[in-house]
Amino acid sequence: MATNEPTTAGDVLIYIPNIIGYLRVALTLISITLMICSPGRWDIAIICYIASFVGDLFDGMAARKLNQSSTFGGLLDMVT
């Protein structure tokens, strides 16, 4: 059921594509941390990095399907 209420900044923060974006940032940071602090765990670092990369596909698809595109989401995507 759709409402005509305006979208707030709080709403944008919990958009599904943005939540995927937060996960992508976390995976990227984990990957970088593992590469620097624990080079022996390069396999997990690569898996995290690839998962972050694949997440880009899914956040874009979710944004279009759910009509949840935002300037914040675009910025989050560029940061990641």
Side-chain angles (χ1 to χ4, degrees), residues 1-8 11:
M1 174 181 334
T3 63
N4 291 331
E5 296 179 25
T7 303
T8 65
D11 294 335

Side-chain angles (χ1 to χ4, degrees), residues 4 14 17 24 26 29 49-50 69 72:
N4 291 331
I14 59 171
R24 290 181 59 218
L29 292 174
Y49 185 78
I50 290 172
S69 298
F72 175 72

Side-chain angles (χ1 to χ4, degrees), residues 16-80:
I16 299 299
N18 292 345
I19 293 172
I20 295 169
Y22 306 145
L23 180 62
R24 290 181 59 218
V25 169
L27 286 169
T28 301
L29 292 174
I30 290 168
S31 176
I32 291 170
T33 302
L34 285 172
M35 285 187 265
I36 293 171
C37 298
S38 186
R41 303 305 306 211
W42 61 268
D43 49 347
I44 295 175
I46 289 174
I47 289 169
C48 289
Y49 185 78
I50 290 172
S52 174
F53 183 75
V54 171
D56 186 36
L57 170 71
F58 291 112
D59 77 356
M61 288 172 43
R64 288 185 289 280
K65 183 173 175 121
L66 300 172
N67 195 26
Q68 292 185 337
S69 298
S70 65
T71 304
F72 175 72
L75 179 64
L76 183 61
D77 206 32
M78 286 189 300
V79 167
T80 307

